Amino acid sequence: MSREASRPVDDSPLWWTVDRLVRAFADRELSPVEVADMAEARIEETHSSLHAYVARTPELARRQAREAERAYRNGDAGPLAGVPVSIKDAFDVQGQVTTYGSLAHPRQVARADSGAVRRLRTSGAVFVGKTNVPEFCQSATTDNLLGPDTANPWDPAATSGGSSGGAAASVAAGTCTLALGSDGGGSIRIPAAFCGLVGLKPTYGRINGAGGLRAFSPFISAGPLARSVQDAARLFEVLGEGAAPAAAPARSVIAWCSHPEGRPVGRVLLENVRRATESLRALGHRLEPVDLRLDGWEQIFGPLVLAEEGERRGSLLEGEHPLTRYERRSLEAARRLAPATVSSARSAMAAYRERIDTYFDDFDVLVTPATATPAFPIGCRPGSIAGRRVDRLWGAFPFAVPFNVSGHPSIVLPVGFVDAMPVAIQLIGRRGADFELLQLAAELEAALDLDLYNPESGTAPMSPM
């Protein structure tokens, strides 16, 4: 291990904010090449415990780092020049293999970058590797037949969530500064919540031409995973190609729902989220308890996801490559899906979006827990929460998908710990109000003042002590 990789977490540039990192590059106090080498060493250090990456790209990273170094010398560095970024293996990186987490794509070399990756490349970002995903991103935990499950840096016996589980683990373990993820059914927000990160699902359609795996098409968006709201905003600005932020209301009217759809939530987790809502109140925002009517999303989401999966990958049932149990079951369910069910789901989606829109006639922001539980042991989805039986598919994380179906932007950020595992709150904004949502999240983050990545406090994951 290199001397740099073994430095304390709080002294390593891999844990710095984007702004601090690019200032150090611009002032020639630090070299992007040095940081790229640190990232590779940190990936090596954590790989056997976490399995966050399906492919490392050290040669590409060093080449991009050298280009960033030249750009700083020439005065034309992009907004993320030299910043280490991991790329979810749902996106193509030119010249690299894209597996989509499946044995059906073991040697599929990308001819060109996906749109989101191209924007990151133009920004000067340094690509340190491709991060692990469940097969075709069809699970909220990151397990596939390519290798071991992706683990959580806070406890490698626990799941990192999914489908951007490798992306979340890569940032939380300090192997990179930012991660590119995608969220079609909570796939950024669930692993961000489990790994103590900020995760943003932008407004549906807000990030145009992002490309990536063709799945969850009516619901999905590319988005950032980061250790702070400000860092998440930096990556979002690049993905959105520099759209100008609007000013958030000085004092927001916030709808607070502790148990959406009456679903159970872990008691201590909920206490953490309640304290965070009180911080919002203390900041001058008005909170009103509301029983959000989110029911109906499963009857829309399930049929439309299955219909697309069957259309695009149904032939794999006769293929030579083995499939995960969950992917096989999805494809088999797609074959049984009645066309009328799909048509009904498509018709219901517009009405669902209008229903959620009506909440924003009275409120600026909606607030819920991000998940119902902290990260659970790998392979052990909870069958009960707070003494009540729950569905194993969605029981631990039922609060993200409604806003994929509705298309509204939502962000999660950490608010505390349960049994030494991070837990998070979810904020949901009006469609198109992504920057306003980021501003409120930054205000809450500052008020909470959680130092999740300070090893002196004993709260840094995978800390090289």
PDB file of all heavy atoms in Angstrom, residues 31 49 119 141-142 155 191-192 204 224 234 239 250 258 266 282 312 346 354 361 394 432 440 458-459 461-462 464:
ATOM      1  N   SER A  31      -1.545  17.369  -7.310  1.00  0.00           N
ATOM      2  CA  SER A  31      -1.620  16.926  -8.698  1.00  0.00           C
ATOM      3  C   SER A  31      -2.792  15.972  -8.895  1.00  0.00           C
ATOM      4  O   SER A  31      -2.983  15.038  -8.100  1.00  0.00           O
ATOM      5  CB  SER A  31      -0.319  16.215  -9.078  1.00  0.00           C
ATOM      6  OG  SER A  31      -0.507  15.399 -10.220  1.00  0.00           O
ATOM      7  N   SER A  49     -13.195  -6.524   0.524  1.00  0.00           N
ATOM      8  CA  SER A  49     -14.271  -6.405   1.513  1.00  0.00           C
ATOM      9  C   SER A  49     -15.577  -5.931   0.913  1.00  0.00           C
ATOM     10  O   SER A  49     -16.653  -6.331   1.361  1.00  0.00           O
ATOM     11  CB  SER A  49     -13.860  -5.428   2.626  1.00  0.00           C
ATOM     12  OG  SER A  49     -12.739  -5.884   3.316  1.00  0.00           O
ATOM     13  N   ARG A 119     -20.675  13.918 -20.768  1.00  0.00           N
ATOM     14  CA  ARG A 119     -20.678  15.204 -20.069  1.00  0.00           C
ATOM     15  C   ARG A 119     -19.643  15.226 -18.953  1.00  0.00           C
ATOM     16  O   ARG A 119     -18.966  16.233 -18.736  1.00  0.00           O
ATOM     17  CB  ARG A 119     -22.078  15.487 -19.520  1.00  0.00           C
ATOM     18  CG  ARG A 119     -23.086  15.747 -20.617  1.00  0.00           C
ATOM     19  CD  ARG A 119     -24.513  15.760 -20.131  1.00  0.00           C
ATOM     20  NE  ARG A 119     -25.427  15.591 -21.260  1.00  0.00           N
ATOM     21  CZ  ARG A 119     -26.726  15.401 -21.158  1.00  0.00           C
ATOM     22  NH1 ARG A 119     -27.292  15.347 -19.965  1.00  0.00           N
ATOM     23  NH2 ARG A 119     -27.463  15.254 -22.242  1.00  0.00           N
ATOM     24  N   THR A 141     -30.884  -4.517  -4.030  1.00  0.00           N
ATOM     25  CA  THR A 141     -29.606  -4.893  -3.436  1.00  0.00           C
ATOM     26  C   THR A 141     -28.680  -5.291  -4.577  1.00  0.00           C
ATOM     27  O   THR A 141     -29.138  -5.716  -5.639  1.00  0.00           O
ATOM     28  CB  THR A 141     -29.756  -6.061  -2.445  1.00  0.00           C
ATOM     29  OG1 THR A 141     -30.402  -7.168  -3.091  1.00  0.00           O
ATOM     30  CG2 THR A 141     -30.577  -5.646  -1.232  1.00  0.00           C
ATOM     31  N   THR A 142     -27.370  -5.151  -4.357  1.00  0.00           N
ATOM     32  CA  THR A 142     -26.425  -5.323  -5.464  1.00  0.00           C
ATOM     33  C   THR A 142     -25.794  -6.710  -5.414  1.00  0.00           C
ATOM     34  O   THR A 142     -24.726  -6.902  -4.842  1.00  0.00           O
ATOM     35  CB  THR A 142     -25.382  -4.196  -5.464  1.00  0.00           C
ATOM     36  OG1 THR A 142     -26.079  -2.949  -5.593  1.00  0.00           O
ATOM     37  CG2 THR A 142     -24.413  -4.335  -6.621  1.00  0.00           C
ATOM     38  N   ASP A 155     -20.414  -1.445   7.391  1.00  0.00           N
ATOM     39  CA  ASP A 155     -20.386  -2.807   7.935  1.00  0.00           C
ATOM     40  C   ASP A 155     -20.407  -3.758   6.753  1.00  0.00           C
ATOM     41  O   ASP A 155     -21.450  -3.959   6.138  1.00  0.00           O
ATOM     42  CB  ASP A 155     -21.582  -3.068   8.842  1.00  0.00           C
ATOM     43  CG  ASP A 155     -21.604  -4.492   9.381  1.00  0.00           C
ATOM     44  OD1 ASP A 155     -20.694  -5.285   9.053  1.00  0.00           O
ATOM     45  OD2 ASP A 155     -22.548  -4.825  10.133  1.00  0.00           O
ATOM     46  N   PRO A 191     -29.435   3.133  -1.878  1.00  0.00           N
ATOM     47  CA  PRO A 191     -28.047   2.925  -1.446  1.00  0.00           C
ATOM     48  C   PRO A 191     -27.420   4.157  -0.806  1.00  0.00           C
ATOM     49  O   PRO A 191     -26.575   4.032   0.084  1.00  0.00           O
ATOM     50  CB  PRO A 191     -27.321   2.519  -2.732  1.00  0.00           C
ATOM     51  CG  PRO A 191     -28.188   2.972  -3.844  1.00  0.00           C
ATOM     52  CD  PRO A 191     -29.587   2.913  -3.330  1.00  0.00           C
ATOM     53  N   ALA A 192     -27.817   5.350  -1.221  1.00  0.00           N
ATOM     54  CA  ALA A 192     -27.310   6.555  -0.553  1.00  0.00           C
ATOM     55  C   ALA A 192     -27.738   6.556   0.910  1.00  0.00           C
ATOM     56  O   ALA A 192     -26.931   6.840   1.806  1.00  0.00           O
ATOM     57  CB  ALA A 192     -27.809   7.816  -1.255  1.00  0.00           C
ATOM     58  N   TYR A 204     -37.980  13.701 -13.479  1.00  0.00           N
ATOM     59  CA  TYR A 204     -37.986  12.833 -14.662  1.00  0.00           C
ATOM     60  C   TYR A 204     -37.903  13.688 -15.929  1.00  0.00           C
ATOM     61  O   TYR A 204     -38.654  14.650 -16.104  1.00  0.00           O
ATOM     62  CB  TYR A 204     -39.256  11.978 -14.693  1.00  0.00           C
ATOM     63  CG  TYR A 204     -39.333  11.097 -15.914  1.00  0.00           C
ATOM     64  CD1 TYR A 204     -38.531   9.964 -16.010  1.00  0.00           C
ATOM     65  CD2 TYR A 204     -40.174  11.410 -16.978  1.00  0.00           C
ATOM     66  CE1 TYR A 204     -38.580   9.153 -17.134  1.00  0.00           C
ATOM     67  CE2 TYR A 204     -40.228  10.595 -18.106  1.00  0.00           C
ATOM     68  CZ  TYR A 204     -39.420   9.476 -18.180  1.00  0.00           C
ATOM     69  OH  TYR A 204     -39.461   8.675 -19.302  1.00  0.00           O
ATOM     70  N   PRO A 224     -26.484  12.022  -9.112  1.00  0.00           N
ATOM     71  CA  PRO A 224     -25.248  11.944  -8.328  1.00  0.00           C
ATOM     72  C   PRO A 224     -25.407  11.216  -7.004  1.00  0.00           C
ATOM     73  O   PRO A 224     -26.468  11.237  -6.376  1.00  0.00           O
ATOM     74  CB  PRO A 224     -24.930  13.417  -8.065  1.00  0.00           C
ATOM     75  CG  PRO A 224     -26.284  14.060  -7.957  1.00  0.00           C
ATOM     76  CD  PRO A 224     -27.181  13.307  -8.909  1.00  0.00           C
ATOM     77  N   ARG A 234     -22.732  19.816  -7.617  1.00  0.00           N
ATOM     78  CA  ARG A 234     -21.706  20.007  -8.640  1.00  0.00           C
ATOM     79  C   ARG A 234     -21.871  18.993  -9.770  1.00  0.00           C
ATOM     80  O   ARG A 234     -21.758  19.326 -10.948  1.00  0.00           O
ATOM     81  CB  ARG A 234     -20.308  19.874  -8.028  1.00  0.00           C
ATOM     82  CG  ARG A 234     -19.953  20.946  -7.012  1.00  0.00           C
ATOM     83  CD  ARG A 234     -19.776  22.302  -7.668  1.00  0.00           C
ATOM     84  NE  ARG A 234     -19.471  23.312  -6.663  1.00  0.00           N
ATOM     85  CZ  ARG A 234     -20.384  24.051  -6.024  1.00  0.00           C
ATOM     86  NH1 ARG A 234     -21.677  23.883  -6.316  1.00  0.00           N
ATOM     87  NH2 ARG A 234     -20.035  24.953  -5.128  1.00  0.00           N
ATOM     88  N   LEU A 239     -24.319  17.181 -15.238  1.00  0.00           N
ATOM     89  CA  LEU A 239     -25.267  16.308 -15.941  1.00  0.00           C
ATOM     90  C   LEU A 239     -26.364  17.118 -16.620  1.00  0.00           C
ATOM     91  O   LEU A 239     -26.823  16.774 -17.710  1.00  0.00           O
ATOM     92  CB  LEU A 239     -25.901  15.315 -14.972  1.00  0.00           C
ATOM     93  CG  LEU A 239     -24.979  14.272 -14.350  1.00  0.00           C
ATOM     94  CD1 LEU A 239     -25.751  13.418 -13.359  1.00  0.00           C
ATOM     95  CD2 LEU A 239     -24.346  13.394 -15.428  1.00  0.00           C
ATOM     96  N   ALA A 250     -37.622  31.545   0.939  1.00  0.00           N
ATOM     97  CA  ALA A 250     -36.897  31.777   2.184  1.00  0.00           C
ATOM     98  C   ALA A 250     -37.450  30.912   3.298  1.00  0.00           C
ATOM     99  O   ALA A 250     -36.709  30.405   4.142  1.00  0.00           O
ATOM    100  CB  ALA A 250     -36.977  33.256   2.558  1.00  0.00           C
ATOM    101  N   SER A 258     -44.834  10.676   8.319  1.00  0.00           N
ATOM    102  CA  SER A 258     -43.946   9.729   9.004  1.00  0.00           C
ATOM    103  C   SER A 258     -44.134   8.291   8.537  1.00  0.00           C
ATOM    104  O   SER A 258     -43.194   7.493   8.597  1.00  0.00           O
ATOM    105  CB  SER A 258     -44.167   9.802  10.518  1.00  0.00           C
ATOM    106  OG  SER A 258     -45.505   9.482  10.838  1.00  0.00           O
ATOM    107  N   GLY A 266     -38.926   1.585  11.317  1.00  0.00           N
ATOM    108  CA  GLY A 266     -38.191   1.298  12.539  1.00  0.00           C
ATOM    109  C   GLY A 266     -38.249   2.463  13.509  1.00  0.00           C
ATOM    110  O   GLY A 266     -38.087   3.620  13.121  1.00  0.00           O
ATOM    111  N   ALA A 282     -36.983  24.584  13.212  1.00  0.00           N
ATOM    112  CA  ALA A 282     -36.145  25.565  13.903  1.00  0.00           C
ATOM    113  C   ALA A 282     -35.534  26.571  12.931  1.00  0.00           C
ATOM    114  O   ALA A 282     -35.217  27.703  13.315  1.00  0.00           O
ATOM    115  CB  ALA A 282     -35.047  24.848  14.687  1.00  0.00           C
ATOM    116  N   ARG A 312     -37.290  -6.300 -23.977  1.00  0.00           N
ATOM    117  CA  ARG A 312     -35.880  -6.103 -24.301  1.00  0.00           C
ATOM    118  C   ARG A 312     -35.028  -7.341 -24.029  1.00  0.00           C
ATOM    119  O   ARG A 312     -34.030  -7.561 -24.717  1.00  0.00           O
ATOM    120  CB  ARG A 312     -35.321  -4.921 -23.514  1.00  0.00           C
ATOM    121  CG  ARG A 312     -36.010  -3.602 -23.832  1.00  0.00           C
ATOM    122  CD  ARG A 312     -35.176  -2.432 -23.364  1.00  0.00           C
ATOM    123  NE  ARG A 312     -35.875  -1.172 -23.507  1.00  0.00           N
ATOM    124  CZ  ARG A 312     -36.043  -0.497 -24.651  1.00  0.00           C
ATOM    125  NH1 ARG A 312     -35.545  -0.998 -25.774  1.00  0.00           N
ATOM    126  NH2 ARG A 312     -36.703   0.650 -24.684  1.00  0.00           N
ATOM    127  N   ARG A 346     -50.307   2.288 -17.922  1.00  0.00           N
ATOM    128  CA  ARG A 346     -49.929   3.496 -18.652  1.00  0.00           C
ATOM    129  C   ARG A 346     -50.973   4.589 -18.465  1.00  0.00           C
ATOM    130  O   ARG A 346     -50.633   5.763 -18.281  1.00  0.00           O
ATOM    131  CB  ARG A 346     -49.762   3.179 -20.137  1.00  0.00           C
ATOM    132  CG  ARG A 346     -48.520   2.344 -20.448  1.00  0.00           C
ATOM    133  CD  ARG A 346     -48.161   2.393 -21.923  1.00  0.00           C
ATOM    134  NE  ARG A 346     -46.955   1.632 -22.181  1.00  0.00           N
ATOM    135  CZ  ARG A 346     -46.935   0.440 -22.791  1.00  0.00           C
ATOM    136  NH1 ARG A 346     -48.061  -0.105 -23.224  1.00  0.00           N
ATOM    137  NH2 ARG A 346     -45.788  -0.182 -22.981  1.00  0.00           N
ATOM    138  N   GLU A 354     -50.644  13.595 -11.611  1.00  0.00           N
ATOM    139  CA  GLU A 354     -51.484  14.751 -11.309  1.00  0.00           C
ATOM    140  C   GLU A 354     -51.881  14.762  -9.841  1.00  0.00           C
ATOM    141  O   GLU A 354     -51.928  15.822  -9.204  1.00  0.00           O
ATOM    142  CB  GLU A 354     -52.730  14.732 -12.202  1.00  0.00           C
ATOM    143  CG  GLU A 354     -52.441  15.032 -13.661  1.00  0.00           C
ATOM    144  CD  GLU A 354     -53.666  14.894 -14.538  1.00  0.00           C
ATOM    145  OE1 GLU A 354     -54.768  14.634 -13.979  1.00  0.00           O
ATOM    146  OE2 GLU A 354     -53.530  15.026 -15.772  1.00  0.00           O
ATOM    147  N   ASP A 361     -49.836  22.313  -4.528  1.00  0.00           N
ATOM    148  CA  ASP A 361     -50.690  23.492  -4.472  1.00  0.00           C
ATOM    149  C   ASP A 361     -50.609  24.139  -3.089  1.00  0.00           C
ATOM    150  O   ASP A 361     -50.763  25.360  -2.955  1.00  0.00           O
ATOM    151  CB  ASP A 361     -52.147  23.126  -4.763  1.00  0.00           C
ATOM    152  CG  ASP A 361     -52.353  22.641  -6.192  1.00  0.00           C
ATOM    153  OD1 ASP A 361     -51.518  22.961  -7.055  1.00  0.00           O
ATOM    154  OD2 ASP A 361     -53.345  21.918  -6.429  1.00  0.00           O
ATOM    155  N   TRP A 394     -40.433  -4.867  -1.148  1.00  0.00           N
ATOM    156  CA  TRP A 394     -40.368  -3.428  -0.931  1.00  0.00           C
ATOM    157  C   TRP A 394     -40.416  -3.023   0.536  1.00  0.00           C
ATOM    158  O   TRP A 394     -40.301  -1.838   0.852  1.00  0.00           O
ATOM    159  CB  TRP A 394     -41.526  -2.727  -1.657  1.00  0.00           C
ATOM    160  CG  TRP A 394     -41.441  -2.795  -3.136  1.00  0.00           C
ATOM    161  CD1 TRP A 394     -42.272  -3.463  -3.988  1.00  0.00           C
ATOM    162  CD2 TRP A 394     -40.440  -2.182  -3.963  1.00  0.00           C
ATOM    163  NE1 TRP A 394     -41.873  -3.295  -5.287  1.00  0.00           N
ATOM    164  CE2 TRP A 394     -40.741  -2.517  -5.302  1.00  0.00           C
ATOM    165  CE3 TRP A 394     -39.326  -1.389  -3.704  1.00  0.00           C
ATOM    166  CZ2 TRP A 394     -39.973  -2.080  -6.375  1.00  0.00           C
ATOM    167  CZ3 TRP A 394     -38.555  -0.958  -4.763  1.00  0.00           C
ATOM    168  CH2 TRP A 394     -38.884  -1.299  -6.083  1.00  0.00           C
ATOM    169  N   GLY A 432     -39.269  19.900 -11.640  1.00  0.00           N
ATOM    170  CA  GLY A 432     -38.461  20.983 -12.178  1.00  0.00           C
ATOM    171  C   GLY A 432     -37.772  21.821 -11.131  1.00  0.00           C
ATOM    172  O   GLY A 432     -36.914  22.647 -11.469  1.00  0.00           O
ATOM    173  N   LEU A 440     -32.620  23.586  -0.072  1.00  0.00           N
ATOM    174  CA  LEU A 440     -33.218  23.240   1.211  1.00  0.00           C
ATOM    175  C   LEU A 440     -32.435  22.109   1.876  1.00  0.00           C
ATOM    176  O   LEU A 440     -32.196  22.130   3.094  1.00  0.00           O
ATOM    177  CB  LEU A 440     -34.681  22.830   1.021  1.00  0.00           C
ATOM    178  CG  LEU A 440     -35.417  22.449   2.310  1.00  0.00           C
ATOM    179  CD1 LEU A 440     -35.497  23.641   3.265  1.00  0.00           C
ATOM    180  CD2 LEU A 440     -36.813  21.909   1.997  1.00  0.00           C
ATOM    181  N   GLY A 458     -14.939   8.623  15.195  1.00  0.00           N
ATOM    182  CA  GLY A 458     -15.267   7.206  15.105  1.00  0.00           C
ATOM    183  C   GLY A 458     -16.381   6.888  14.147  1.00  0.00           C
ATOM    184  O   GLY A 458     -16.991   5.819  14.226  1.00  0.00           O
ATOM    185  N   THR A 459     -16.692   7.791  13.224  1.00  0.00           N
ATOM    186  CA  THR A 459     -17.818   7.573  12.327  1.00  0.00           C
ATOM    187  C   THR A 459     -17.448   7.474  10.862  1.00  0.00           C
ATOM    188  O   THR A 459     -18.300   7.552  10.004  1.00  0.00           O
ATOM    189  CB  THR A 459     -18.863   8.697  12.492  1.00  0.00           C
ATOM    190  OG1 THR A 459     -18.215   9.960  12.314  1.00  0.00           O
ATOM    191  CG2 THR A 459     -19.509   8.652  13.868  1.00  0.00           C
ATOM    192  N   PRO A 461     -16.486   5.354   7.639  1.00  0.00           N
ATOM    193  CA  PRO A 461     -16.530   3.956   7.243  1.00  0.00           C
ATOM    194  C   PRO A 461     -15.195   3.484   6.671  1.00  0.00           C
ATOM    195  O   PRO A 461     -14.486   4.241   6.008  1.00  0.00           O
ATOM    196  CB  PRO A 461     -17.622   3.944   6.166  1.00  0.00           C
ATOM    197  CG  PRO A 461     -17.557   5.305   5.564  1.00  0.00           C
ATOM    198  CD  PRO A 461     -17.195   6.217   6.713  1.00  0.00           C
ATOM    199  N   MET A 462     -14.867   2.246   6.912  1.00  0.00           N
ATOM    200  CA  MET A 462     -13.663   1.631   6.335  1.00  0.00           C
ATOM    201  C   MET A 462     -12.440   2.506   6.578  1.00  0.00           C
ATOM    202  O   MET A 462     -11.560   2.641   5.743  1.00  0.00           O
ATOM    203  CB  MET A 462     -13.833   1.403   4.833  1.00  0.00           C
ATOM    204  CG  MET A 462     -15.010   0.517   4.454  1.00  0.00           C
ATOM    205  SD  MET A 462     -14.744  -1.192   4.909  1.00  0.00           S
ATOM    206  CE  MET A 462     -13.453  -1.663   3.761  1.00  0.00           C
ATOM    207  N   PRO A 464      -8.917   3.750   7.451  1.00  0.00           N
ATOM    208  CA  PRO A 464      -7.609   3.112   7.596  1.00  0.00           C
ATOM    209  C   PRO A 464      -6.886   3.621   8.832  1.00  0.00           C
ATOM    210  O   PRO A 464      -6.028   4.468   8.767  1.00  0.00           O
ATOM    211  CB  PRO A 464      -6.877   3.522   6.318  1.00  0.00           C
ATOM    212  CG  PRO A 464      -7.475   4.854   5.965  1.00  0.00           C
ATOM    213  CD  PRO A 464      -8.901   4.804   6.426  1.00  0.00           C
TER     214      PRO A 464
END
